[in-house]
Amino acid sequence: MRKPKVAFITGITGQDGSYLAEFLLKKGYKVVGLVRRTTSIRRANISHLLGKVAIEFGDLLDFHTIEAVIRKYQPDEVYNLAAQSVPADSWSHPIYTGEITALGVTRTLEAVRSAKPDAKFYQGSSREVFGGAKHRVCNEETPFLANNPYGVAKVYGHLITRTYRESYDMFACGGILFNHESPRRGLHFVTRKISMGVACIKLGIKSPPLNETGEPLVKEGKLTLGNLDAKRDWGYAKEYVEAMWLMLQKKQPTDYVIATNTLYSVRDFCKIAFGHVNLHWKDHVESHEKFKRPTEITASRGDYAKAKKELGWKPRISFKELVELMVAADLKRLSSSG
Ligand code: NDP
Ligand code: GDP
């Protein structure tokens, strides 16, 4: 019998890491995940995978823990998905963001180079690298103009990945992914704030989860957001992790943009989300300065033509379906938790 391929995922407890682990398990991989050591290991996104994936403790701050895992398991593929991944938090945590989201990539690449140099490496790059670019549609050739500490760290991560590819002949790819969401998205992101807010309001939840400023997400039937005019190219995370794997199956490593090439506003998201439960968004949504950002990125769409041509990848579900499945999942989650 052929030995199963081994994949190592940093950030396995996150949205993408957990979906990718499920996807790779279905493909017959042995999956190893890096988890940050904490005093309690309650990890909602991977609780159903415990026993099916190997968990190793480590941190992107700590080169030795990453290298030891790679040396032990000799993975065929390494997916670096761990990051301080919240752009909004990167203004208040610029140095930490640089340590994890930028230098953490070099630590992981160095660990691969030292312990399993022929492993294929995927870097979780972001559309934030384009930042304030003038382009309304961005592709792999669009210049990087990151304009927040997270985006700047992602530029570093992307370019160091390319540098290792060119300097050491490593198989290293950067997936420049536009925003992608799901019921596993963190509550600090606007889509999940809205879907959870809708569910709390619809079900009349008395003690809602806390928002990013530590206040109840919903107060007196109101959900407070920031800039309702902000626009994003939003896709479905479950589809995006497939693109990561496809990139590592190619003969030659290169970088790809993954996106839907559509653009919607936060207001559009609210309209569909509240409408799905027969409520009107205007009755429940407020906008407050404290959730607005010092700079916004340009409202740009992603051109995924290269991924479509070379990987055979394209987005499948619509924006409306995405919003509705997120709202439905939060309604279900809250209903079953009593
Ligand atoms: P999540 O925020 O859901 O997951 C981030 C993961 O990183 C978590 O598993 C987290 O662990 C882990 N992590 C954070 N800090 C450290 C650390 N110091 N050491 C080890 N692990 C750490 O992000 P997503 O799944 O949404 O995104 C995956 C990657 O893709 C990230 O790099 C993100 O920046 C990037 N990306 C995401 C996009 C999106 O729209 N989702 C778009 C473009 C890029 P813990 O559970 O302990 O917090
Ligand atoms: P990001 O693109 O990775 O920063 O994803 P977010 O979901 O955090 O933000 C997407 C857009 O929504 C940004 O332009 C925000 O300014 C806007 N936005 C509006 N209100 C909110 C809010 O309450 N929280 C967050 N996180 N973003 C908001």
Side-chain angles (χ1 to χ4, degrees), residues 85-88 127-128 150 179 181 185 188-191 193 212 224-228 230-232 234 266 291-293 296-297:
S85 63
V86 187
R127 63 86 64 233
E128 290 273 343
Y150 169 87
N179 293 51
E181 319 295 311
R185 188 64 147 148
H188 285 199
F189 293 91
V190 73
T191 56
K193 262 184 92 172
E212 58 268 57
T224 308
L225 304 174
N227 179 7
L228 304 180
K231 289 187 175 154
R232 289 290 185 277
W234 274 301
V266 172
F291 294 120
K292 293 190 178 163
R293 302 179 179 190
E296 272 289 358
I297 57 171

Side-chain angles (χ1 to χ4, degrees), residues 16 20 26 28 33 42 54 68 87 102 136 172 176 219 275 285 291 304 337:
D16 293 5
L20 179 66
K26 278 204 192 108
R42 253 199 51 208
R136 291 288 153 179
I176 305 175
K219 267 194 253 173
V285 175
F291 294 120
Y304 61 89
S337 68

Side-chain angles (χ1 to χ4, degrees), residues 88 181-183 185-201 208-218 222-228 266 269-270 273-274 285-288 290-293 326-327 330:
E181 319 295 311
S182 76
R185 188 64 147 148
L187 265 174
H188 285 199
F189 293 91
V190 73
T191 56
R192 193 65 206 299
K193 262 184 92 172
I194 300 169
S195 65
M196 180 57 91
V198 168
C200 288
I201 292 168
L210 302 182
N211 68 17
E212 58 268 57
T213 52
E215 297 157 301
L217 182 67
V218 169
K222 301 279 185 200
L223 169 69
T224 308
L225 304 174
N227 179 7
L228 304 180
V266 172
F269 199 106
C270 290
F274 280 93
V285 175
E286 294 174 336
S287 167
H288 194 283
K290 70 182 169 190
F291 294 120
K292 293 190 178 163
R293 302 179 179 190
M326 289 181 69
V327 172
D330 278 326

